[in-house]
Amino acid sequence: AQSVTQPDIHITVSEGASLELRCNYSYGATPYLFWYVQSPGQGLQLLLKYFSGDTLVQGIKGFEAEFKRSQSSFNLRKPSVHWSDAAEYFCAVGADYKLSFGAGTTVTVRA
Amino acid sequence: NAGVTQTPKFQVLKTGQSMTLQCAQDMNHNSMYWYRQDPGMGLRLIYYSASEGTTDKGEVPNGYNVSRLNKREFSLRLESAAPSQTSVYFCASSVYSSTDTQYFGPGTRLTVL
């Protein structure tokens, strides 16, 4: 069965600084990987996804993620964080009609 | 185009009461899902329906039942609510399988006293 680990529960970053959120997955075959964002009191919105091909994936809101098979990782990055990026971020792996989510990383942006 | 809608938004139940959470999507998606979200645990799949007429258990199905009423609607029923079912419940849909993008509803916050 697939699983996802997000090692960082909470990250605080200054506005304008770069952000990197870590995600490690466990799955025997080629994974389908996703990053979702959840703003307070809202549902989840897809930021980006990886199925195959180029290992650097571009998403919405200026986010990108890099798939590294050798490290079983799919880390999310943003070069310059805006106050509106404060949210909870979830990494997920898809297989067999199911998505398995990590526990999430909460991002706080300080002025 | 409303996407995925859920009713109600909030609900408070007493232990032992029953209720049904409603979910509808207007994107002509085949697959629908119910998740629960608890602090520090991410989202866990309760049940899913890969296509109209089929339902399957997810990771945490105990205490829940589902009905895929038609292609648009997928309801979640708590027959006898327990405090452990206090959670935020999300419905989602996708074109076919979980390898497709899932679109989420706004959630239902349920408290069981």
Side-chain angles (χ1 to χ4, degrees):
Chain A
Q2 64 270 28
S3 66
V4 175
T5 301
Q6 294 180 246
D8 304 305
I9 296 173
H10 190 199
I11 288 179
T12 298
V13 60
S14 297
E15 192 169 15
S18 64
L19 174 68
E20 181 167 14
L21 304 181
R22 295 184 290 164
C23 172
N24 295 100
Y25 68 90
S26 173
Y27 184 59
T30 301
Y32 292 78
L33 296 163
F34 304 80
W35 274 101
Y36 282 85
V37 62
Q38 183 181 31
S39 298
Q42 303 295 313
L44 277 72
Q45 180 184 21
L46 180 72
L47 283 175
L48 48 79
K49 58 186 178 184
Y50 171 79
F51 290 166
S52 64
D54 193 346
T55 57
L56 186 62
V57 181
Q58 301 297 319
I60 63 171
K61 304 186 180 187
F63 285 91
E64 66 178 25
E66 186 172 14
F67 170 63
K68 293 185 177 180
R69 185 185 299 276
S70 62
Q71 299 178 18
S72 297
S73 69
F74 189 55
N75 293 349
L76 182 71
R77 299 193 293 255
K78 185 168 184 177
S80 178
V81 168
H82 187 261
W83 64 266
S84 60
D85 294 321
E88 190 162 18
Y89 293 80
F90 293 95
C91 182
V93 58
D96 302 328
Y97 287 101
K98 295 187 283 288
L99 274 184
S100 295
F101 285 85
T105 299
T106 299
V107 173
T108 298
V109 180
R110 60 183 174 215
Chain B
N1 190 336
V4 180
T5 57
Q6 294 182 235
T7 55
K9 292 191 188 310
F10 301 94
Q11 184 71 48
V12 178
L13 293 178
K14 296 180 179 178
T15 297
Q17 288 184 317
S18 63
M19 80 161 295
T20 300
L21 281 64
Q22 306 287 352
C23 173
Q25 52 90 10
D26 62 1
M27 296 175 283
N28 201 34
H29 285 171
N30 293 285
S31 301
M32 298 185 73
Y33 313 84
W34 276 106
Y35 294 90
R36 60 177 289 172
Q37 182 180 27
D38 302 291
M41 302 190 75
L43 278 77
R44 292 180 292 167
L45 183 64
I46 304 171
Y47 271 93
Y48 66 100
S49 171
S51 61
E52 187 179 356
T54 69
T55 60
D56 285 284
K57 295 178 180 179
E59 186 182 351
V60 289
N62 292 344
Y64 305 95
N65 285 299
V66 291
S67 295
R68 183 74 183 266
L69 305 171
N70 48 55
K71 191 171 185 179
R72 290 187 63 248
E73 298 172 289
F74 188 39
S75 63
L76 178 71
R77 183 162 178 83
L78 287 70
E79 291 290 352
S80 179
S84 61
Q85 294 178 304
T86 293
S87 187
V88 181
Y89 292 85
F90 288 98
C91 177
S93 70
S94 64
V95 175
Y96 280 109
S97 71
S98 63
T99 55
D100 296 317
T101 300
Q102 289 190 16
Y103 294 84
F104 285 80
T108 295
R109 185 173 294 275
L110 175 67
T111 301
V112 183
L113 303 175

